Amino acid sequence: MSDPKKTSLHGEHEKLGASFTDFGGWDMPLKYGSELAEHKAVRATAGLFDLSHMGEVWVQGPQAATFLNSALAGNMAIMAVGRAKYSVICNADGGIIDDLITYRRAEDKFLVVPNAGNAPVVAAALAERAAGFDVLVTDASADTSLIAVQGPASVAILEQLIDAASHDVLTGMKYYAADEVAVAGHDVLLARTGYTGEDGFELYLPNAQAPALWAALMEAGAAHGLVPAGLACRDSLRLEAGMPLYGNELSLDVTPFDAGLGGIVSFKKEEDFVGRAALEAKKAAGTQRALVGLKGLGRRAGRGGYKVMSDGVVVGTVTSGQPSPTLGYPVALAYVDNAFAEIGTELDVDLRGKAEPFEVVALPFYKRDK
Amino acid sequence: MSKVLSGLRYSAEHEWLDASAPAKVGITQVAADALGDVVYVDLPEVGATITAGESCGEVESTKSVSDLYAPVSGTIVAINQDAVDNPAILNEDPYGAGWLFTVDVSEEGPLLSAQDYASANGGDVE
């Protein structure tokens, strides 16, 4: 095993006293103090995240849109310039290689953002699938940093660092959109595509400028209650928001239909995308299982890998589970047989030999007031 | 660095035991820091018999759940209801207000000195 990679902000995290964990081959901050306090700060004020381990793959050229339509399951060609789209990249069997966000920066220019551990695999798959298309696929992951400001105070914090002339870019930006703007003097790609269930922004910029921008955000955010936030709270925040995590809910063994992501697969587009035939067959055959939300009726949390039971019979498996800091009860995502997926179904989770009651509830568990 | 108190003895499974009778038991700061924010503790009942080296409860954090192992054999005399009601005190004060139970010791398991525990698990002996 080679040494884990470090982001351009690793030194900032060390200065802040972070404890680190290996995530997708990267040495990432897990928490800076209490992960519960960080979670609550993101819900109440704001948290600052280093997401530089995420990948950044540029796709440019006259056939960029057509190419992405053949490489990804979604319809990227219909996306307007300035917008973003959530999609999946599948293999020929319809299994999910990764879930990713794609930004359209120009008619012929897209930025694809895969997950940390999958970034090299996605970049390689895109490069391979680009054969025969008039496109250039460039993996900029190693040179690009990504900082996220998440929480209700995000706009107020960023407003301090953006020229008055560009304020409209910030305040007028829709969810799942992006634009170029100077933040604290650094030219960044500013996106509003959060993963925490809160309002928030992601800032893409070259590695060399990331520590200075991080420091500027920390300083501007201090008066607004901004705290540095690690991967531990990112996971509890995304779980409350009911969002799937690659490696937990999504994998090569899972189709988008199993994961409740059937809506992002486009069979209407003209292009024959990788996995299309397999996914059409799977859609026609129907799913056997469904990804559901479980609310714990007791105090104990179900954890990834724990069995879901009905009258003592195994009917599913938990993929993610934790006590919800915001809601005050345990929540979990689980794959269960379709017959047990209806809202209100009472199930048990086998907590190390003890059956604890849970109930199927609608996702997301937590939704912010808008 | 996490503290390891010199006046206590330790199990390899991260419990501490003091020298009083009945003996007071808790988990170390090394363990509490590694677990993250503790959100639930499951303790043996008063009067229950525990066996050195065997699981006698659970400690659950936001990220994971771990067994609580008995550092000694004996009978539970008291449990710390404050730790059950407010598990965060295991993080805030693991050697003080975050103690877990007291036990009338019948037989000790293998116990480590503060120095040996710190050498094996990290932490500063104080």
Side-chain angles (χ1 to χ4, degrees):
Chain A
M1 188 80 190
S2 56
D3 285 343
K5 290 179 273 189
K6 293 178 178 178
T7 74
S8 61
L9 296 167
H10 199 274
E12 303 300 313
H13 307 317
E14 284 180 332
K15 275 189 250 170
L16 290 162
S19 52
F20 291 87
T21 187
D22 182 279
F23 186 84
W26 292 81
D27 193 35
M28 297 302 293
L30 181 66
K31 55 183 179 166
Y32 300 84
S34 156
E35 68 270 22
L36 277 176
E38 291 165 24
H39 182 114
K40 287 171 180 169
V42 173
R43 292 272 178 258
T45 53
L48 192 63
F49 295 85
D50 177 11
L51 306 181
S52 302
H53 57 325
M54 304 282 286
E56 289 87 12
V57 183
W58 289 96
V59 175
Q60 299 169 75
Q63 288 188 293
T66 309
F67 158 66
L68 282 175
N69 269 13
S70 72
L72 308 181
N75 192 342
M76 302 295 122
I78 59 169
M79 186 184 355
V81 172
R83 298 309 303 263
K85 212 171 169 74
Y86 178 73
S87 191
V88 289
I89 179 168
C90 290
N91 63 15
D93 298 330
I96 300 174
I97 295 173
D98 199 11
D99 62 330
L100 30 75
I101 291 174
T102 300
Y103 300 92
R104 188 167 205 168
R105 301 304 314 134
E107 277 302 317
D108 59 352
K109 188 176 176 186
F110 295 80
L111 174 64
V112 180
V113 179
N115 287 297
N118 292 331
V121 180
V122 171
L126 289 176
E128 189 186 322
R129 292 174 188 190
F133 287 94
D134 189 1
V135 290
L136 185 64
V137 176
T138 314
D139 184 1
S141 305
D143 307 317
T144 308
S145 289
L146 175 55
I147 298 172
V149 188
Q150 294 285 308
S154 300
V155 170
I157 292 165
L158 285 166
E159 268 181 339
Q160 291 177 243
L161 301 174
I162 293 179
D163 286 346
S166 300
H167 268 189
D168 293 352
V169 173
L170 178 72
T171 53
M173 188 177 286
K174 292 180 173 142
Y175 188 53
Y176 266 73
D179 206 344
E180 276 140 31
V181 65
V183 180
H186 305 282
D187 291 328
V188 308
L189 176 63
L190 182 74
R192 203 171 202 169
T193 44
Y195 189 63
T196 58
E198 295 303 326
D199 188 16
F201 296 86
E202 294 74 46
L203 295 81
Y204 296 84
L205 79 170
N207 288 343
Q209 298 172 49
L213 179 60
W214 175 274
L217 287 162
M218 286 286 288
E219 197 184 332
H224 298 276
L226 174 91
V227 300
L231 287 181
C233 79
R234 189 169 188 239
D235 201 27
S236 51
L237 290 159
R238 72 91 197 165
L239 176 59
E240 286 182 346
M243 296 180 182
L245 177 67
Y246 199 88
N248 290 36
E249 285 75 36
L250 307 179
S251 74
L252 286 174
D253 299 325
V254 167
T255 71
F257 304 110
D258 296 325
L261 300 176
I264 66 171
V265 179
S266 173
F267 291 125
K268 284 185 187 164
K269 64 183 177 182
E270 294 170 8
E271 294 82 0
D272 180 21
F273 64 92
V274 179
R276 178 170 198 142
L279 287 172
E280 278 174 345
K282 284 181 201 276
K283 189 183 182 190
T287 54
Q288 306 299 308
R289 57 181 175 175
L291 185 64
V292 299
L294 295 177
K295 170 186 177 176
L297 305 179
R299 284 182 66 181
R300 314 299 310 276
R303 307 283 176 174
Y306 287 11
K307 297 297 172 207
V308 180
M309 323 277 291
S310 176
D311 290 330
V313 178
V314 176
V315 299
T317 308
V318 173
T319 48
S320 297
Q322 282 194 17
S324 162
T326 308
L327 302 169
Y329 52 77
V331 296
L333 291 171
Y335 279 108
V336 300
D337 296 347
N338 278 338
F340 302 91
E342 211 162 300
I343 306 293
T345 306
E346 288 179 13
L347 297 167
D348 292 320
V349 174
D350 182 349
L351 295 183
R352 316 203 318 156
K354 289 178 210 160
E356 188 82 5
F358 282 72
E359 183 185 346
V360 178
V361 295
L363 291 171
F365 300 107
Y366 163 85
K367 203 167 189 183
R368 74 187 157 102
D369 299 327
K370 290 191 184 173
Chain B
M1 283 288 267
S2 309
K3 275 194 297 186
V4 178
L5 294 194
S6 58
L8 303 172
R9 289 185 297 158
Y10 297 85
S11 73
E13 291 84 19
H14 311 291
E15 287 79 28
W16 57 260
L17 179 84
D18 76 3
S20 52
K24 196 179 269 187
V25 171
I27 65 164
T28 66
Q29 190 173 20
V30 172
D33 288 352
L35 282 167
D37 291 317
V38 177
V39 294
Y40 183 82
V41 290
D42 179 43
L43 298 176
E45 287 176 18
V46 171
T49 307
I50 59 173
T51 305
E54 291 188 4
S55 171
C56 65
E58 290 178 338
V59 179
E60 184 164 346
S61 68
T62 51
K63 280 304 259 189
S64 65
V65 53
S66 304
D67 278 307
L68 179 68
Y69 290 94
V72 294
S73 298
T75 306
I76 299 295
V77 176
I79 64 162
N80 182 3
Q81 190 60 39
D82 289 346
V84 174
D85 295 339
N86 176 26
I89 62 175
L90 271 72
N91 297 101
E92 291 157 10
D93 192 7
Y95 301 112
W99 65 279
L100 295 177
F101 56 80
T102 60
V103 53
D104 202 356
V105 180
S106 60
E107 191 177 350
E108 291 188 355
L111 294 170
L112 305 169
S113 68
Q115 196 57 55
D116 289 347
Y117 176 80
S119 304
N121 300 288
D124 287 333
V125 178
E126 286 186 17

